[in-house]
Amino acid sequence: MIKSKYLKKLIVEPDSEVNLKDFPSDWLDTPEGKEIGKELIKERAAEILEESRIQLAQAQELLYASDTHSVLIVLQAMDAAGKDGTIRHVMAGVNPQGCQVFSFKKPSAEELDHNFLWRYMKSLPERGRIGIFNRSYYEDVLVVKVHPEWLGPGAPADPDSKFWQQRYEDINNFEKHLSRNGTLILKFFLHVSKDEQKRRFLERLTNPEKHWKFSDADLEEREHWKSYRKAFEDALAATSTKRAPWHVVPADRKYVARAIVADIITTSIQGLGLKYPEVSAEKLVKLNEARVKLEGHAADDDSP
Ligand code: ATP
Ligand code: MG
């Protein structure tokens, strides 16, 4: 497991200003990273991912059995930061029945006709399940803040800061409501540098097997890099709370990002202190009777 003193540095302190320059996109750039070195980090990251996967599978089973909590994982990032790969690698060992992934694209006309949280509410995880939001209601204060013209009918043409402030407030209240009702909320911003994004886009443009991953909009949105960065900084600062803090995950190296996300999800679920439901004395007697009866069955007896 990753030492908590390292993980603490990734958390956005509630009520603090956020400057993404203060958070590394490459963990190797940090003093700790430099000290440990690339080869050892790669090795450790693989071990942590493997260890977390095994423990996450167990934690998920317990989450399902105890049926008292749900887990909502929110993943946000610039394009090509590795959201899909992170989900695939981190959740690889989890029972598919206990885990639901939802990817949110541009809203439909029907979705735009409702309040901005409506479409996300419909996809929240049930008790006992892990729900992953690949993009989320945060898009409504990120991409839409960069492109207010996408707000849809009924919204102001030129929204002011009060408008965005109210959306942050709505999000915080929404998360408070979920948390009070037994949902553990884990939010990750996969922090990738502009250079690394360029490298990944070029890979998508040159490797025929990755062509399908590239969309024309990717380059257009890259032009707005600064506005996105500002929108992220504002949103992270306004919505990192004690009950639902933001983690800024260094994502220039995929193996680092995956290990960190896996570790945080696993240890957070374990931190809930869940227990398998206790069986009543009455039920224990019945279980015992059933066992005795079953043991009495002849080995080759096909009769009812
Ligand atoms: P990939 O890694 O496959 O590119 P993706 O999550 O980027 O995955 P896309 O289909 O490329 O998926 O993009 C979805 C687009 O939908 C993004 O540009 C995102 O900003 C946009 N989007 C998501 N939610 C909203 C929203 N509420 N309003 C407007 N646009 C949204
Ligand atoms: Mg995309």
Side-chain angles (χ1 to χ4, degrees):
M1 297 284 110
I2 303 173
K3 288 193 182 121
S4 61
K5 66 173 180 181
Y6 294 144
L7 294 180
K8 259 195 193 134
K9 292 188 181 173
L10 309 179
I11 293 181
V12 175
E13 274 302 308
D15 304 314
S16 70
E17 278 204 9
V18 173
N19 188 339
L20 281 172
K21 274 205 197 93
D22 301 336
F23 293 89
S25 60
D26 184 353
W27 201 67
L28 262 173
D29 286 345
T30 64
E32 299 89 358
K34 281 186 186 135
E35 198 184 310
I36 301 172
K38 186 176 165 185
E39 284 317 307
L40 201 55
I41 289 177
K42 210 167 176 176
E43 227 173 83
R44 269 305 283 145
E47 282 167 14
I48 289 164
L49 181 60
E50 195 46 43
E51 208 178 302
S52 299
R53 268 186 191 154
I54 296 168
Q55 292 193 26
L56 184 57
Q58 292 166 356
Q60 187 276 324
E61 205 179 294
L62 184 53
L63 181 77
Y64 190 79
S66 61
D67 201 24
T68 54
H69 290 73
S70 59
V71 179
L72 174 65
I73 297 168
V74 170
L75 278 177
Q76 287 291 155
M78 293 297 285
D79 286 305
K83 290 184 276 100
D84 291 359
T86 302
I87 295 170
R88 208 170 53 244
H89 282 82
V90 172
M91 305 311 289
V94 169
N95 178 353
Q97 292 200 79
C99 174
Q100 302 149 311
V101 184
F102 294 93
S103 299
F104 294 99
K105 315 275 178 193
K106 277 196 170 177
S108 65
E110 188 197 12
E111 287 168 342
L112 283 176
D113 272 342
H114 290 80
N115 70 76
F116 82 97
L117 292 172
W118 180 72
R119 67 171 180 157
Y120 309 101
M121 286 179 189
K122 292 193 299 178
S123 303
L124 289 168
E126 309 153 41
R127 246 195 344 268
R129 307 276 165 104
I130 299 176
I132 301 177
F133 279 6
N134 181 354
R135 300 187 187 270
S136 67
Y137 40 91
Y138 282 98
E139 290 294 323
D140 297 79
V141 289
L142 293 166
V143 64
V144 180
K145 198 172 179 204
V146 176
H147 296 282
E149 67 277 14
W150 294 350
L151 268 169
D158 186 18
D160 54 11
S161 64
K162 190 171 157 212
F163 176 88
W164 300 114
Q165 210 51 48
Q166 286 176 346
R167 283 206 163 188
Y168 299 141
E169 232 175 78
D170 289 343
I171 288 176
N172 285 339
N173 287 333
F174 177 53
E175 291 183 345
K176 191 172 182 177
H177 169 69
L178 296 181
S179 159
R180 280 173 171 173
N181 283 272
T183 302
L184 170 69
I185 305 166
L186 301 169
K187 303 188 292 197
F188 300 98
F189 167 56
L190 300 188
H191 185 22
V192 84
S193 66
K194 202 175 176 190
D195 279 351
E196 181 58 23
Q197 189 196 53
K198 178 179 169 186
R199 216 189 52 74
R200 292 185 192 177
F201 278 169
L202 282 175
E203 163 80 7
R204 291 177 181 188
L205 290 166
T206 41
N207 180 349
E209 282 176 14
K210 294 204 170 172
H211 284 352
W212 65 274
K213 282 193 176 183
F214 191 82
S215 108
D216 295 341
D218 287 346
L219 269 197
E220 281 167 38
E221 292 317 296
R222 184 175 158 84
E223 301 283 321
H224 299 288
W225 184 271
K226 268 198 177 151
S227 311
Y228 272 106
R229 205 173 158 102
K230 178 79 175 73
F232 268 111
E233 288 176 341
D234 292 348
L236 296 176
T239 61
S240 199
T241 55
K242 237 184 146 95
R243 48 164 61 90
W246 272 106
H247 300 87
V248 181
V249 179
D252 279 356
R253 289 169 206 275
K254 292 177 180 171
Y255 53 86
V256 170
R258 290 168 188 170
I260 291 174
V261 171
D263 186 293
I264 294 173
I265 296 175
T266 306
T267 46
S268 304
I269 299 178
Q270 288 172 340
L272 290 172
L274 301 175
K275 294 201 171 59
Y276 282 100
E278 286 208 13
V279 175
S280 66
E282 213 174 302
K283 178 95 195 246
L284 266 183
V285 171
K286 285 210 166 128
L287 288 176
N288 206 30
E289 282 169 7
R291 184 179 54 79
V292 171
K293 204 167 168 186
L294 189 61
E295 281 171 354
H297 283 195
D300 57 354
D301 186 0
D302 263 348
S303 60

